[in-house]
PDB file of all heavy atoms in Angstrom:
ATOM      1  N   LEU A   1     -67.643-113.234  56.502  1.00 78.00           N
ATOM      2  CA  LEU A   1     -68.070-114.619  56.566  1.00 78.00           C
ATOM      3  C   LEU A   1     -67.844-115.095  58.002  1.00 78.00           C
ATOM      4  O   LEU A   1     -66.706-114.916  58.591  1.00 78.00           O
ATOM      5  CB  LEU A   1     -67.242-115.451  55.603  1.00 78.00           C
ATOM      6  CG  LEU A   1     -67.364-115.068  54.113  1.00 78.00           C
ATOM      7  CD1 LEU A   1     -66.587-116.060  53.312  1.00 78.00           C
ATOM      8  CD2 LEU A   1     -68.745-114.994  53.621  1.00 78.00           C
ATOM      9  N   ASN A   2     -68.904-115.687  58.585  1.00 75.00           N
ATOM     10  CA  ASN A   2     -68.739-116.254  59.914  1.00 75.00           C
ATOM     11  C   ASN A   2     -68.042-117.654  59.817  1.00 75.00           C
ATOM     12  O   ASN A   2     -67.718-118.107  58.747  1.00 75.00           O
ATOM     13  CB  ASN A   2     -70.058-116.435  60.614  1.00 75.00           C
ATOM     14  CG  ASN A   2     -71.048-117.357  59.919  1.00 75.00           C
ATOM     15  OD1 ASN A   2     -70.700-118.098  59.051  1.00 75.00           O
ATOM     16  ND2 ASN A   2     -72.291-117.315  60.343  1.00 75.00           N
ATOM     17  N   PHE A   3     -67.871-118.268  60.993  1.00 70.00           N
ATOM     18  CA  PHE A   3     -67.086-119.548  60.992  1.00 70.00           C
ATOM     19  C   PHE A   3     -67.690-120.608  60.089  1.00 70.00           C
ATOM     20  O   PHE A   3     -67.014-121.301  59.374  1.00 70.00           O
ATOM     21  CB  PHE A   3     -66.976-120.009  62.450  1.00 70.00           C
ATOM     22  CG  PHE A   3     -66.221-121.355  62.561  1.00 70.00           C
ATOM     23  CD1 PHE A   3     -64.875-121.445  62.383  1.00 70.00           C
ATOM     24  CD2 PHE A   3     -67.000-122.571  62.685  1.00 70.00           C
ATOM     25  CE1 PHE A   3     -64.230-122.717  62.467  1.00 70.00           C
ATOM     26  CE2 PHE A   3     -66.380-123.801  62.785  1.00 70.00           C
ATOM     27  CZ  PHE A   3     -64.933-123.840  62.638  1.00 70.00           C
ATOM     28  N   ARG A   4     -69.050-120.692  60.205  1.00 69.00           N
ATOM     29  CA  ARG A   4     -69.682-121.752  59.398  1.00 69.00           C
ATOM     30  C   ARG A   4     -69.585-121.565  57.890  1.00 69.00           C
ATOM     31  O   ARG A   4     -69.245-122.465  57.136  1.00 69.00           O
ATOM     32  CB  ARG A   4     -71.141-121.842  59.747  1.00 69.00           C
ATOM     33  CG  ARG A   4     -71.907-122.944  59.018  1.00 69.00           C
ATOM     34  CD  ARG A   4     -73.374-123.033  59.424  1.00 69.00           C
ATOM     35  NE  ARG A   4     -73.528-123.376  60.849  1.00 69.00           N
ATOM     36  CZ  ARG A   4     -74.655-123.683  61.411  1.00 69.00           C
ATOM     37  NH1 ARG A   4     -75.798-123.609  60.711  1.00 69.00           N
ATOM     38  NH2 ARG A   4     -74.696-124.051  62.629  1.00 69.00           N
ATOM     39  N   SER A   5     -69.744-120.276  57.429  1.00 70.00           N
ATOM     40  CA  SER A   5     -69.555-119.998  56.040  1.00 70.00           C
ATOM     41  C   SER A   5     -68.142-120.211  55.554  1.00 70.00           C
ATOM     42  O   SER A   5     -67.886-120.645  54.518  1.00 70.00           O
ATOM     43  CB  SER A   5     -70.095-118.575  55.676  1.00 70.00           C
ATOM     44  OG  SER A   5     -69.461-117.613  56.522  1.00 70.00           O
ATOM     45  N   GLN A   6     -67.143-119.814  56.434  1.00 69.00           N
ATOM     46  CA  GLN A   6     -65.715-120.061  56.043  1.00 69.00           C
ATOM     47  C   GLN A   6     -65.471-121.519  55.926  1.00 69.00           C
ATOM     48  O   GLN A   6     -64.697-121.978  55.094  1.00 69.00           O
ATOM     49  CB  GLN A   6     -64.827-119.437  57.175  1.00 69.00           C
ATOM     50  CG  GLN A   6     -64.831-117.903  57.132  1.00 69.00           C
ATOM     51  CD  GLN A   6     -63.814-117.339  58.174  1.00 69.00           C
ATOM     52  OE1 GLN A   6     -62.577-117.415  57.927  1.00 69.00           O
ATOM     53  NE2 GLN A   6     -64.350-116.839  59.258  1.00 69.00           N
ATOM     54  N   LEU A   7     -66.057-122.327  56.848  1.00 69.00           N
ATOM     55  CA  LEU A   7     -65.879-123.774  56.744  1.00 69.00           C
ATOM     56  C   LEU A   7     -66.363-124.274  55.424  1.00 69.00           C
ATOM     57  O   LEU A   7     -65.746-125.201  54.742  1.00 69.00           O
ATOM     58  CB  LEU A   7     -66.547-124.424  58.010  1.00 69.00           C
ATOM     59  CG  LEU A   7     -66.302-125.938  58.099  1.00 69.00           C
ATOM     60  CD1 LEU A   7     -64.843-126.276  58.409  1.00 69.00           C
ATOM     61  CD2 LEU A   7     -67.173-126.484  59.280  1.00 69.00           C
ATOM     62  N   LEU A   8     -67.599-123.824  55.063  1.00 68.00           N
ATOM     63  CA  LEU A   8     -68.209-124.361  53.833  1.00 68.00           C
ATOM     64  C   LEU A   8     -67.345-123.866  52.637  1.00 68.00           C
ATOM     65  O   LEU A   8     -67.124-124.671  51.667  1.00 68.00           O
ATOM     66  CB  LEU A   8     -69.575-123.660  53.665  1.00 68.00           C
ATOM     67  CG  LEU A   8     -70.686-124.323  54.463  1.00 68.00           C
ATOM     68  CD1 LEU A   8     -71.947-123.429  54.382  1.00 68.00           C
ATOM     69  CD2 LEU A   8     -70.995-125.761  54.012  1.00 68.00           C
ATOM     70  N   ILE A   9     -66.766-122.669  52.581  1.00 68.00           N
ATOM     71  CA  ILE A   9     -65.967-122.232  51.556  1.00 68.00           C
ATOM     72  C   ILE A   9     -64.674-123.093  51.473  1.00 68.00           C
ATOM     73  O   ILE A   9     -64.269-123.429  50.371  1.00 68.00           O
ATOM     74  CB  ILE A   9     -65.551-120.732  51.759  1.00 68.00           C
ATOM     75  CG1 ILE A   9     -66.777-119.832  51.608  1.00 68.00           C
ATOM     76  CG2 ILE A   9     -64.475-120.312  50.790  1.00 68.00           C
ATOM     77  CD1 ILE A   9     -67.477-119.863  50.329  1.00 68.00           C
ATOM     78  N   THR A  10     -64.094-123.399  52.618  1.00 69.00           N
ATOM     79  CA  THR A  10     -62.922-124.206  52.667  1.00 69.00           C
ATOM     80  C   THR A  10     -63.187-125.606  52.058  1.00 69.00           C
ATOM     81  O   THR A  10     -62.387-126.151  51.225  1.00 69.00           O
ATOM     82  CB  THR A  10     -62.340-124.326  54.001  1.00 69.00           C
ATOM     83  OG1 THR A  10     -62.009-123.053  54.577  1.00 69.00           O
ATOM     84  CG2 THR A  10     -61.086-125.205  54.099  1.00 69.00           C
ATOM     85  N   LEU A  11     -64.285-126.162  52.480  1.00 69.00           N
ATOM     86  CA  LEU A  11     -64.653-127.459  52.039  1.00 69.00           C
ATOM     87  C   LEU A  11     -64.916-127.443  50.517  1.00 69.00           C
ATOM     88  O   LEU A  11     -64.457-128.366  49.756  1.00 69.00           O
ATOM     89  CB  LEU A  11     -65.932-127.952  52.712  1.00 69.00           C
ATOM     90  CG  LEU A  11     -66.550-129.223  52.220  1.00 69.00           C
ATOM     91  CD1 LEU A  11     -65.606-130.375  52.442  1.00 69.00           C
ATOM     92  CD2 LEU A  11     -67.926-129.510  52.950  1.00 69.00           C
ATOM     93  N   GLY A  12     -65.615-126.397  50.050  1.00 66.00           N
ATOM     94  CA  GLY A  12     -65.911-126.250  48.668  1.00 66.00           C
ATOM     95  C   GLY A  12     -64.665-126.168  47.801  1.00 66.00           C
ATOM     96  O   GLY A  12     -64.603-126.781  46.714  1.00 66.00           O
ATOM     97  N   ASN A  13     -63.670-125.412  48.318  1.00 66.00           N
ATOM     98  CA  ASN A  13     -62.470-125.226  47.491  1.00 66.00           C
ATOM     99  C   ASN A  13     -61.639-126.556  47.464  1.00 66.00           C
ATOM    100  O   ASN A  13     -60.968-126.779  46.492  1.00 66.00           O
ATOM    101  CB  ASN A  13     -61.572-124.145  48.131  1.00 66.00           C
ATOM    102  CG  ASN A  13     -61.953-122.735  47.671  1.00 66.00           C
ATOM    103  OD1 ASN A  13     -61.872-122.448  46.420  1.00 66.00           O
ATOM    104  ND2 ASN A  13     -62.438-121.904  48.486  1.00 66.00           N
ATOM    105  N   LEU A  14     -61.843-127.380  48.437  1.00 66.00           N
ATOM    106  CA  LEU A  14     -61.078-128.624  48.455  1.00 66.00           C
ATOM    107  C   LEU A  14     -61.701-129.656  47.446  1.00 66.00           C
ATOM    108  O   LEU A  14     -60.924-130.479  46.884  1.00 66.00           O
ATOM    109  CB  LEU A  14     -61.142-129.295  49.889  1.00 66.00           C
ATOM    110  CG  LEU A  14     -60.278-128.632  50.941  1.00 66.00           C
ATOM    111  CD1 LEU A  14     -60.581-129.214  52.346  1.00 66.00           C
ATOM    112  CD2 LEU A  14     -58.803-128.790  50.535  1.00 66.00           C
ATOM    113  N   VAL A  15     -63.021-129.596  47.269  1.00 64.00           N
ATOM    114  CA  VAL A  15     -63.700-130.579  46.373  1.00 64.00           C
ATOM    115  C   VAL A  15     -64.201-130.076  45.110  1.00 64.00           C
ATOM    116  O   VAL A  15     -64.808-130.775  44.328  1.00 64.00           O
ATOM    117  CB  VAL A  15     -64.785-131.284  47.227  1.00 64.00           C
ATOM    118  CG1 VAL A  15     -64.257-131.911  48.487  1.00 64.00           C
ATOM    119  CG2 VAL A  15     -65.944-130.314  47.542  1.00 64.00           C
ATOM    120  N   LYS A  16     -64.019-128.730  44.836  1.00 65.00           N
ATOM    121  CA  LYS A  16     -64.649-128.215  43.666  1.00 65.00           C
ATOM    122  C   LYS A  16     -64.203-128.769  42.350  1.00 65.00           C
ATOM    123  O   LYS A  16     -64.896-128.657  41.289  1.00 65.00           O
ATOM    124  CB  LYS A  16     -64.358-126.630  43.608  1.00 65.00           C
ATOM    125  CG  LYS A  16     -62.916-126.278  43.418  1.00 65.00           C
ATOM    126  CD  LYS A  16     -62.759-124.800  43.449  1.00 65.00           C
ATOM    127  CE  LYS A  16     -61.236-124.341  43.291  1.00 65.00           C
ATOM    128  NZ  LYS A  16     -61.126-122.901  43.369  1.00 65.00           N
ATOM    129  N   HIS A  17     -63.031-129.402  42.271  1.00 68.00           N
ATOM    130  CA  HIS A  17     -62.550-130.033  41.080  1.00 68.00           C
ATOM    131  C   HIS A  17     -63.084-131.423  40.828  1.00 68.00           C
ATOM    132  O   HIS A  17     -62.951-131.993  39.759  1.00 68.00           O
ATOM    133  CB  HIS A  17     -61.037-130.046  41.038  1.00 68.00           C
ATOM    134  CG  HIS A  17     -60.381-128.687  41.032  1.00 68.00           C
ATOM    135  ND1 HIS A  17     -60.598-127.746  39.987  1.00 68.00           N
ATOM    136  CD2 HIS A  17     -59.558-128.060  41.958  1.00 68.00           C
ATOM    137  CE1 HIS A  17     -59.924-126.628  40.313  1.00 68.00           C
ATOM    138  NE2 HIS A  17     -59.329-126.791  41.443  1.00 68.00           N
ATOM    139  N   ILE A  18     -63.680-132.018  41.902  1.00 71.00           N
ATOM    140  CA  ILE A  18     -64.092-133.377  41.801  1.00 71.00           C
ATOM    141  C   ILE A  18     -65.648-133.550  41.966  1.00 71.00           C
ATOM    142  O   ILE A  18     -66.234-134.532  41.572  1.00 71.00           O
ATOM    143  CB  ILE A  18     -63.368-134.318  42.710  1.00 71.00           C
ATOM    144  CG1 ILE A  18     -63.543-133.858  44.249  1.00 71.00           C
ATOM    145  CG2 ILE A  18     -61.904-134.422  42.370  1.00 71.00           C
ATOM    146  CD1 ILE A  18     -62.964-134.752  45.220  1.00 71.00           C
ATOM    147  N   VAL A  19     -66.261-132.541  42.517  1.00 69.00           N
ATOM    148  CA  VAL A  19     -67.707-132.609  42.820  1.00 69.00           C
ATOM    149  C   VAL A  19     -68.399-131.701  41.852  1.00 69.00           C
ATOM    150  O   VAL A  19     -68.002-130.533  41.640  1.00 69.00           O
ATOM    151  CB  VAL A  19     -68.035-132.228  44.290  1.00 69.00           C
ATOM    152  CG1 VAL A  19     -69.523-132.093  44.524  1.00 69.00           C
ATOM    153  CG2 VAL A  19     -67.379-133.189  45.218  1.00 69.00           C
ATOM    154  N   PRO A  20     -69.493-132.163  41.190  1.00 69.00           N
ATOM    155  CA  PRO A  20     -70.279-131.309  40.313  1.00 69.00           C
ATOM    156  C   PRO A  20     -70.691-130.026  41.034  1.00 69.00           C
ATOM    157  O   PRO A  20     -71.168-130.011  42.217  1.00 69.00           O
ATOM    158  CB  PRO A  20     -71.529-132.123  39.991  1.00 69.00           C
ATOM    159  CG  PRO A  20     -71.018-133.506  40.118  1.00 69.00           C
ATOM    160  CD  PRO A  20     -70.031-133.552  41.268  1.00 69.00           C
ATOM    161  N   TYR A  21     -70.525-128.889  40.411  1.00 63.00           N
ATOM    162  CA  TYR A  21     -70.727-127.604  41.077  1.00 63.00           C
ATOM    163  C   TYR A  21     -72.100-127.397  41.534  1.00 63.00           C
ATOM    164  O   TYR A  21     -72.424-126.722  42.573  1.00 63.00           O
ATOM    165  CB  TYR A  21     -70.310-126.424  40.128  1.00 63.00           C
ATOM    166  CG  TYR A  21     -71.262-126.041  39.079  1.00 63.00           C
ATOM    167  CD1 TYR A  21     -72.211-124.974  39.334  1.00 63.00           C
ATOM    168  CD2 TYR A  21     -71.277-126.648  37.877  1.00 63.00           C
ATOM    169  CE1 TYR A  21     -73.130-124.680  38.315  1.00 63.00           C
ATOM    170  CE2 TYR A  21     -72.223-126.302  36.837  1.00 63.00           C
ATOM    171  CZ  TYR A  21     -73.115-125.253  37.130  1.00 63.00           C
ATOM    172  OH  TYR A  21     -74.060-124.876  36.148  1.00 63.00           O
ATOM    173  N   MET A  22     -73.078-128.001  40.904  1.00 68.00           N
ATOM    174  CA  MET A  22     -74.495-127.860  41.351  1.00 68.00           C
ATOM    175  C   MET A  22     -74.675-128.526  42.708  1.00 68.00           C
ATOM    176  O   MET A  22     -75.618-128.143  43.436  1.00 68.00           O
ATOM    177  CB  MET A  22     -75.470-128.405  40.267  1.00 68.00           C
ATOM    178  CG  MET A  22     -75.642-127.452  39.086  1.00 68.00           C
ATOM    179  SD  MET A  22     -76.072-125.744  39.552  1.00 68.00           S
ATOM    180  CE  MET A  22     -77.527-126.022  40.530  1.00 68.00           C
ATOM    181  N   TRP A  23     -73.978-129.605  42.964  1.00 65.00           N
ATOM    182  CA  TRP A  23     -74.116-130.221  44.281  1.00 65.00           C
ATOM    183  C   TRP A  23     -73.693-129.216  45.346  1.00 65.00           C
ATOM    184  O   TRP A  23     -74.338-129.117  46.334  1.00 65.00           O
ATOM    185  CB  TRP A  23     -73.228-131.445  44.356  1.00 65.00           C
ATOM    186  CG  TRP A  23     -73.654-132.630  43.556  1.00 65.00           C
ATOM    187  CD1 TRP A  23     -74.695-132.620  42.599  1.00 65.00           C
ATOM    188  CD2 TRP A  23     -73.128-133.976  43.553  1.00 65.00           C
ATOM    189  NE1 TRP A  23     -74.752-133.844  41.987  1.00 65.00           N
ATOM    190  CE2 TRP A  23     -73.873-134.721  42.607  1.00 65.00           C
ATOM    191  CE3 TRP A  23     -72.192-134.583  44.339  1.00 65.00           C
ATOM    192  CZ2 TRP A  23     -73.614-136.021  42.416  1.00 65.00           C
ATOM    193  CZ3 TRP A  23     -71.904-135.942  44.146  1.00 65.00           C
ATOM    194  CH2 TRP A  23     -72.619-136.673  43.192  1.00 65.00           C
ATOM    195  N   LEU A  24     -72.563-128.504  45.084  1.00 69.00           N
ATOM    196  CA  LEU A  24     -72.045-127.536  45.991  1.00 69.00           C
ATOM    197  C   LEU A  24     -72.995-126.381  46.145  1.00 69.00           C
ATOM    198  O   LEU A  24     -73.334-125.948  47.247  1.00 69.00           O
ATOM    199  CB  LEU A  24     -70.679-127.002  45.562  1.00 69.00           C
ATOM    200  CG  LEU A  24     -69.538-127.962  45.700  1.00 69.00           C
ATOM    201  CD1 LEU A  24     -68.276-127.313  45.004  1.00 69.00           C
ATOM    202  CD2 LEU A  24     -69.231-128.312  47.161  1.00 69.00           C
ATOM    203  N   TYR A  25     -73.500-125.926  45.010  1.00 66.00           N
ATOM    204  CA  TYR A  25     -74.434-124.737  45.062  1.00 66.00           C
ATOM    205  C   TYR A  25     -75.737-125.094  45.822  1.00 66.00           C
ATOM    206  O   TYR A  25     -76.224-124.254  46.657  1.00 66.00           O
ATOM    207  CB  TYR A  25     -74.711-124.272  43.652  1.00 66.00           C
ATOM    208  CG  TYR A  25     -75.206-122.884  43.636  1.00 66.00           C
ATOM    209  CD1 TYR A  25     -74.319-121.798  43.595  1.00 66.00           C
ATOM    210  CD2 TYR A  25     -76.614-122.554  43.755  1.00 66.00           C
ATOM    211  CE1 TYR A  25     -74.734-120.540  43.618  1.00 66.00           C
ATOM    212  CE2 TYR A  25     -77.007-121.249  43.804  1.00 66.00           C
ATOM    213  CZ  TYR A  25     -76.095-120.205  43.745  1.00 66.00           C
ATOM    214  OH  TYR A  25     -76.465-118.945  43.814  1.00 66.00           O
ATOM    215  N   ARG A  26     -76.242-126.276  45.596  1.00 74.00           N
ATOM    216  CA  ARG A  26     -77.480-126.731  46.345  1.00 74.00           C
ATOM    217  C   ARG A  26     -77.221-126.693  47.782  1.00 74.00           C
ATOM    218  O   ARG A  26     -78.069-126.347  48.635  1.00 74.00           O
ATOM    219  CB  ARG A  26     -77.973-127.996  45.815  1.00 74.00           C
ATOM    220  CG  ARG A  26     -78.662-127.925  44.460  1.00 74.00           C
ATOM    221  CD  ARG A  26     -79.398-129.253  44.151  1.00 74.00           C
ATOM    222  NE  ARG A  26     -80.114-129.228  42.946  1.00 74.00           N
ATOM    223  CZ  ARG A  26     -79.614-129.606  41.705  1.00 74.00           C
ATOM    224  NH1 ARG A  26     -78.321-130.180  41.734  1.00 74.00           N
ATOM    225  NH2 ARG A  26     -80.292-129.558  40.655  1.00 74.00           N
ATOM    226  N   LEU A  27     -76.050-127.276  48.220  1.00 69.00           N
ATOM    227  CA  LEU A  27     -75.679-127.359  49.521  1.00 69.00           C
ATOM    228  C   LEU A  27     -75.577-125.916  50.206  1.00 69.00           C
ATOM    229  O   LEU A  27     -76.129-125.646  51.293  1.00 69.00           O
ATOM    230  CB  LEU A  27     -74.323-128.062  49.812  1.00 69.00           C
ATOM    231  CG  LEU A  27     -73.750-128.054  51.187  1.00 69.00           C
ATOM    232  CD1 LEU A  27     -74.659-128.793  52.174  1.00 69.00           C
ATOM    233  CD2 LEU A  27     -72.359-128.726  51.210  1.00 69.00           C
ATOM    234  N   PHE A  28     -74.857-125.075  49.509  1.00 73.00           N
ATOM    235  CA  PHE A  28     -74.746-123.668  50.054  1.00 73.00           C
ATOM    236  C   PHE A  28     -76.074-122.983  50.144  1.00 73.00           C
ATOM    237  O   PHE A  28     -76.351-122.264  51.101  1.00 73.00           O
ATOM    238  CB  PHE A  28     -73.791-122.864  49.159  1.00 73.00           C
ATOM    239  CG  PHE A  28     -72.363-123.351  49.222  1.00 73.00           C
ATOM    240  CD1 PHE A  28     -71.535-123.187  48.117  1.00 73.00           C
ATOM    241  CD2 PHE A  28     -71.873-123.958  50.383  1.00 73.00           C
ATOM    242  CE1 PHE A  28     -70.228-123.627  48.149  1.00 73.00           C
ATOM    243  CE2 PHE A  28     -70.557-124.364  50.451  1.00 73.00           C
ATOM    244  CZ  PHE A  28     -69.768-124.232  49.310  1.00 73.00           C
ATOM    245  N   ALA A  29     -76.902-123.147  49.116  1.00 70.00           N
ATOM    246  CA  ALA A  29     -78.241-122.528  49.124  1.00 70.00           C
ATOM    247  C   ALA A  29     -79.045-123.020  50.311  1.00 70.00           C
ATOM    248  O   ALA A  29     -79.770-122.194  50.941  1.00 70.00           O
ATOM    249  CB  ALA A  29     -78.992-122.877  47.887  1.00 70.00           C
ATOM    250  N   TRP A  30     -78.996-124.304  50.613  1.00 68.00           N
ATOM    251  CA  TRP A  30     -79.757-124.829  51.673  1.00 68.00           C
ATOM    252  C   TRP A  30     -79.238-124.347  53.053  1.00 68.00           C
ATOM    253  O   TRP A  30     -80.028-124.027  53.948  1.00 68.00           O
ATOM    254  CB  TRP A  30     -79.733-126.339  51.642  1.00 68.00           C
ATOM    255  CG  TRP A  30     -80.567-126.935  52.752  1.00 68.00           C
ATOM    256  CD1 TRP A  30     -81.936-127.204  52.738  1.00 68.00           C
ATOM    257  CD2 TRP A  30     -80.089-127.453  53.971  1.00 68.00           C
ATOM    258  NE1 TRP A  30     -82.341-127.706  53.909  1.00 68.00           N
ATOM    259  CE2 TRP A  30     -81.171-127.960  54.783  1.00 68.00           C
ATOM    260  CE3 TRP A  30     -78.826-127.537  54.633  1.00 68.00           C
ATOM    261  CZ2 TRP A  30     -81.105-128.431  56.024  1.00 68.00           C
ATOM    262  CZ3 TRP A  30     -78.718-128.028  55.887  1.00 68.00           C
ATOM    263  CH2 TRP A  30     -79.838-128.491  56.558  1.00 68.00           C
ATOM    264  N   VAL A  31     -77.888-124.288  53.202  1.00 69.00           N
ATOM    265  CA  VAL A  31     -77.330-123.811  54.476  1.00 69.00           C
ATOM    266  C   VAL A  31     -77.615-122.377  54.731  1.00 69.00           C
ATOM    267  O   VAL A  31     -77.929-121.912  55.803  1.00 69.00           O
ATOM    268  CB  VAL A  31     -75.770-124.072  54.489  1.00 69.00           C
ATOM    269  CG1 VAL A  31     -75.150-123.410  55.702  1.00 69.00           C
ATOM    270  CG2 VAL A  31     -75.507-125.601  54.461  1.00 69.00           C
TER     271      VAL A  31
END
């Protein structure tokens, strides 16, 4: 994982309990 993908993973792990998972998945898919 490059720096950008690691940053996304870190962000996702921080908010995964409060943000609907499809919001995260759509973001990752677009990036």
Side-chain angles (χ1 to χ4, degrees):
L1 299 184
N2 64 11
F3 175 77
R4 182 178 295 187
S5 54
Q6 289 185 72
L7 186 62
L8 283 170
I9 293 299
T10 301
L11 174 64
N13 275 298
L14 287 174
V15 302
K16 67 183 180 182
H17 296 297
I18 57 177
V19 174
Y21 80 94
M22 284 308 303
W23 290 11
L24 289 175
Y25 200 87
R26 285 192 178 96
L27 172 63
F28 293 149
W30 183 82
V31 171

